[in-house]
Amino acid sequence: QARVVESGGGLVQEGGSLRLTCKTNGIILSVFNGNSLSWYRQAPGKQREFVATISSSHSTDYKESVKGRFTISRDNRKRTGYLQMNSLKPDDTAVYYCNAGDQYWGQGTQVTVSS
C-alpha cells in the first residue's frame, strides 16, 4: 500500500521557520524517482494552491509569493521530500499537502503562523 505522510507542521510566530517532511512508503522506487514531488496548501475558505515542486532532474519551481523563503528538496534514497519554510507570514497559514510520484497524496499537516 502506497502511503504519503507529511509532518513538521505546527504553530509558529511570524518570521519563524518550519521544515516539513514528506515521508513515503510503498511507492515503487522508479515511480518515486522518475516523477515530481510537490507541495500544495489549502487555507480555510480557499481552494488548494500550488506551493513548490521538484522534478526528477531536481529542477524546482515555486509559487511567486514563497520564492526566496521556501526551499523544496528531495532525497531519492530515502524516498522522502522536504519543504524548508523560512520567514513565515500569516498568509502562509494552511494545511500543507505533499504529492509524490505524481499520483499519491498525504493527509496534510497544519501550519499556523501567528502575527
PDB file of all heavy atoms in Angstrom, residues 12-30:
ATOM      1  N   VAL A  12       3.694  28.627  14.684  1.00  0.00           N
ATOM      2  CA  VAL A  12       4.936  29.383  14.694  1.00  0.00           C
ATOM      3  C   VAL A  12       4.618  30.864  14.594  1.00  0.00           C
ATOM      4  O   VAL A  12       3.624  31.265  13.990  1.00  0.00           O
ATOM      5  CB  VAL A  12       5.865  28.932  13.545  1.00  0.00           C
ATOM      6  CG1 VAL A  12       5.250  29.261  12.185  1.00  0.00           C
ATOM      7  CG2 VAL A  12       7.243  29.546  13.679  1.00  0.00           C
ATOM      8  N   GLN A  13       5.460  31.670  15.185  1.00  0.00           N
ATOM      9  CA  GLN A  13       5.292  33.110  15.130  1.00  0.00           C
ATOM     10  C   GLN A  13       5.733  33.648  13.773  1.00  0.00           C
ATOM     11  O   GLN A  13       6.601  33.078  13.108  1.00  0.00           O
ATOM     12  CB  GLN A  13       6.107  33.763  16.248  1.00  0.00           C
ATOM     13  CG  GLN A  13       5.822  35.239  16.460  1.00  0.00           C
ATOM     14  CD  GLN A  13       6.557  35.792  17.670  1.00  0.00           C
ATOM     15  OE1 GLN A  13       7.390  35.116  18.267  1.00  0.00           O
ATOM     16  NE2 GLN A  13       6.257  37.025  18.035  1.00  0.00           N
ATOM     17  N   GLU A  14       5.125  34.739  13.370  1.00  0.00           N
ATOM     18  CA  GLU A  14       5.526  35.391  12.128  1.00  0.00           C
ATOM     19  C   GLU A  14       7.035  35.606  12.110  1.00  0.00           C
ATOM     20  O   GLU A  14       7.626  36.054  13.093  1.00  0.00           O
ATOM     21  CB  GLU A  14       4.796  36.722  11.977  1.00  0.00           C
ATOM     22  CG  GLU A  14       5.080  37.446  10.677  1.00  0.00           C
ATOM     23  CD  GLU A  14       4.268  38.704  10.536  1.00  0.00           C
ATOM     24  OE1 GLU A  14       3.609  39.112  11.514  1.00  0.00           O
ATOM     25  OE2 GLU A  14       4.271  39.289   9.440  1.00  0.00           O
ATOM     26  N   GLY A  15       7.660  35.261  10.984  1.00  0.00           N
ATOM     27  CA  GLY A  15       9.098  35.359  10.860  1.00  0.00           C
ATOM     28  C   GLY A  15       9.844  34.095  11.224  1.00  0.00           C
ATOM     29  O   GLY A  15      11.057  34.006  10.978  1.00  0.00           O
ATOM     30  N   GLY A  16       9.153  33.136  11.783  1.00  0.00           N
ATOM     31  CA  GLY A  16       9.767  31.888  12.178  1.00  0.00           C
ATOM     32  C   GLY A  16       9.930  30.921  11.024  1.00  0.00           C
ATOM     33  O   GLY A  16       9.614  31.233   9.871  1.00  0.00           O
ATOM     34  N   SER A  17      10.411  29.730  11.352  1.00  0.00           N
ATOM     35  CA  SER A  17      10.706  28.711  10.348  1.00  0.00           C
ATOM     36  C   SER A  17      10.118  27.371  10.737  1.00  0.00           C
ATOM     37  O   SER A  17       9.966  27.057  11.921  1.00  0.00           O
ATOM     38  CB  SER A  17      12.219  28.556  10.170  1.00  0.00           C
ATOM     39  OG  SER A  17      12.825  29.739   9.706  1.00  0.00           O
ATOM     40  N   LEU A  18       9.799  26.593   9.733  1.00  0.00           N
ATOM     41  CA  LEU A  18       9.385  25.210   9.892  1.00  0.00           C
ATOM     42  C   LEU A  18       9.981  24.395   8.755  1.00  0.00           C
ATOM     43  O   LEU A  18      10.186  24.919   7.658  1.00  0.00           O
ATOM     44  CB  LEU A  18       7.867  25.057   9.871  1.00  0.00           C
ATOM     45  CG  LEU A  18       7.073  25.549  11.074  1.00  0.00           C
ATOM     46  CD1 LEU A  18       5.578  25.489  10.761  1.00  0.00           C
ATOM     47  CD2 LEU A  18       7.380  24.707  12.303  1.00  0.00           C
ATOM     48  N   ARG A  19      10.235  23.138   9.017  1.00  0.00           N
ATOM     49  CA  ARG A  19      10.673  22.214   7.982  1.00  0.00           C
ATOM     50  C   ARG A  19       9.666  21.076   7.894  1.00  0.00           C
ATOM     51  O   ARG A  19       9.515  20.307   8.846  1.00  0.00           O
ATOM     52  CB  ARG A  19      12.056  21.655   8.276  1.00  0.00           C
ATOM     53  CG  ARG A  19      12.652  20.868   7.108  1.00  0.00           C
ATOM     54  CD  ARG A  19      13.868  20.080   7.530  1.00  0.00           C
ATOM     55  NE  ARG A  19      14.620  19.581   6.392  1.00  0.00           N
ATOM     56  CZ  ARG A  19      15.427  18.525   6.426  1.00  0.00           C
ATOM     57  NH1 ARG A  19      15.609  17.867   7.568  1.00  0.00           N
ATOM     58  NH2 ARG A  19      16.083  18.142   5.331  1.00  0.00           N
ATOM     59  N   LEU A  20       8.993  20.993   6.776  1.00  0.00           N
ATOM     60  CA  LEU A  20       8.034  19.931   6.547  1.00  0.00           C
ATOM     61  C   LEU A  20       8.724  18.738   5.902  1.00  0.00           C
ATOM     62  O   LEU A  20       9.602  18.890   5.063  1.00  0.00           O
ATOM     63  CB  LEU A  20       6.903  20.407   5.640  1.00  0.00           C
ATOM     64  CG  LEU A  20       6.146  21.665   6.075  1.00  0.00           C
ATOM     65  CD1 LEU A  20       4.978  21.925   5.130  1.00  0.00           C
ATOM     66  CD2 LEU A  20       5.660  21.544   7.507  1.00  0.00           C
ATOM     67  N   THR A  21       8.296  17.561   6.308  1.00  0.00           N
ATOM     68  CA  THR A  21       8.827  16.321   5.765  1.00  0.00           C
ATOM     69  C   THR A  21       7.704  15.545   5.094  1.00  0.00           C
ATOM     70  O   THR A  21       6.589  15.470   5.620  1.00  0.00           O
ATOM     71  CB  THR A  21       9.467  15.465   6.862  1.00  0.00           C
ATOM     72  OG1 THR A  21      10.587  16.160   7.419  1.00  0.00           O
ATOM     73  CG2 THR A  21       9.960  14.135   6.301  1.00  0.00           C
ATOM     74  N   CYS A  22       7.996  14.993   3.942  1.00  0.00           N
ATOM     75  CA  CYS A  22       7.066  14.148   3.195  1.00  0.00           C
ATOM     76  C   CYS A  22       7.690  12.765   3.099  1.00  0.00           C
ATOM     77  O   CYS A  22       8.523  12.508   2.235  1.00  0.00           O
ATOM     78  CB  CYS A  22       6.811  14.748   1.813  1.00  0.00           C
ATOM     79  SG  CYS A  22       5.796  13.725   0.720  1.00  0.00           S
ATOM     80  N   LYS A  23       7.288  11.899   4.008  1.00  0.00           N
ATOM     81  CA  LYS A  23       7.821  10.544   4.041  1.00  0.00           C
ATOM     82  C   LYS A  23       6.873   9.606   3.306  1.00  0.00           C
ATOM     83  O   LYS A  23       5.666   9.641   3.514  1.00  0.00           O
ATOM     84  CB  LYS A  23       8.031  10.090   5.478  1.00  0.00           C
ATOM     85  CG  LYS A  23       8.656   8.719   5.616  1.00  0.00           C
ATOM     86  CD  LYS A  23       9.036   8.424   7.060  1.00  0.00           C
ATOM     87  CE  LYS A  23      10.210   9.274   7.484  1.00  0.00           C
ATOM     88  NZ  LYS A  23      10.685   8.897   8.855  1.00  0.00           N
ATOM     89  N   THR A  24       7.436   8.771   2.453  1.00  0.00           N
ATOM     90  CA  THR A  24       6.624   7.856   1.672  1.00  0.00           C
ATOM     91  C   THR A  24       6.973   6.412   1.999  1.00  0.00           C
ATOM     92  O   THR A  24       8.088   6.096   2.400  1.00  0.00           O
ATOM     93  CB  THR A  24       6.789   8.080   0.154  1.00  0.00           C
ATOM     94  OG1 THR A  24       8.069   7.621  -0.277  1.00  0.00           O
ATOM     95  CG2 THR A  24       6.636   9.553  -0.185  1.00  0.00           C
ATOM     96  N   ASN A  25       5.985   5.560   1.806  1.00  0.00           N
ATOM     97  CA  ASN A  25       6.165   4.122   1.965  1.00  0.00           C
ATOM     98  C   ASN A  25       5.363   3.420   0.887  1.00  0.00           C
ATOM     99  O   ASN A  25       4.261   3.842   0.540  1.00  0.00           O
ATOM    100  CB  ASN A  25       5.698   3.647   3.336  1.00  0.00           C
ATOM    101  CG  ASN A  25       6.597   4.100   4.457  1.00  0.00           C
ATOM    102  OD1 ASN A  25       7.683   3.549   4.653  1.00  0.00           O
ATOM    103  ND2 ASN A  25       6.161   5.104   5.206  1.00  0.00           N
ATOM    104  N   GLY A  26       5.908   2.344   0.364  1.00  0.00           N
ATOM    105  CA  GLY A  26       5.178   1.519  -0.577  1.00  0.00           C
ATOM    106  C   GLY A  26       5.111   2.042  -1.998  1.00  0.00           C
ATOM    107  O   GLY A  26       4.388   1.474  -2.816  1.00  0.00           O
ATOM    108  N   ILE A  27       5.831   3.124  -2.283  1.00  0.00           N
ATOM    109  CA  ILE A  27       5.897   3.620  -3.656  1.00  0.00           C
ATOM    110  C   ILE A  27       7.099   2.979  -4.336  1.00  0.00           C
ATOM    111  O   ILE A  27       8.205   3.017  -3.799  1.00  0.00           O
ATOM    112  CB  ILE A  27       6.021   5.150  -3.696  1.00  0.00           C
ATOM    113  CG1 ILE A  27       4.815   5.799  -3.025  1.00  0.00           C
ATOM    114  CG2 ILE A  27       6.167   5.642  -5.128  1.00  0.00           C
ATOM    115  CD1 ILE A  27       4.895   7.311  -2.973  1.00  0.00           C
ATOM    116  N   ILE A  28       6.866   2.399  -5.498  1.00  0.00           N
ATOM    117  CA  ILE A  28       7.962   1.792  -6.248  1.00  0.00           C
ATOM    118  C   ILE A  28       9.048   2.832  -6.467  1.00  0.00           C
ATOM    119  O   ILE A  28       8.768   3.975  -6.828  1.00  0.00           O
ATOM    120  CB  ILE A  28       7.458   1.223  -7.582  1.00  0.00           C
ATOM    121  CG1 ILE A  28       6.459   0.088  -7.331  1.00  0.00           C
ATOM    122  CG2 ILE A  28       8.605   0.727  -8.436  1.00  0.00           C
ATOM    123  CD1 ILE A  28       5.786  -0.409  -8.593  1.00  0.00           C
ATOM    124  N   LEU A  29      10.283   2.432  -6.262  1.00  0.00           N
ATOM    125  CA  LEU A  29      11.394   3.365  -6.324  1.00  0.00           C
ATOM    126  C   LEU A  29      11.441   4.117  -7.647  1.00  0.00           C
ATOM    127  O   LEU A  29      11.649   5.334  -7.665  1.00  0.00           O
ATOM    128  CB  LEU A  29      12.715   2.637  -6.079  1.00  0.00           C
ATOM    129  CG  LEU A  29      13.971   3.500  -6.063  1.00  0.00           C
ATOM    130  CD1 LEU A  29      13.885   4.553  -4.972  1.00  0.00           C
ATOM    131  CD2 LEU A  29      15.207   2.630  -5.891  1.00  0.00           C
ATOM    132  N   SER A  30      11.249   3.409  -8.752  1.00  0.00           N
ATOM    133  CA  SER A  30      11.311   4.058 -10.053  1.00  0.00           C
ATOM    134  C   SER A  30      10.191   5.082 -10.224  1.00  0.00           C
ATOM    135  O   SER A  30      10.363   6.075 -10.924  1.00  0.00           O
ATOM    136  CB  SER A  30      11.257   3.026 -11.176  1.00  0.00           C
ATOM    137  OG  SER A  30      10.052   2.281 -11.132  1.00  0.00           O
TER     138      SER A  30
END
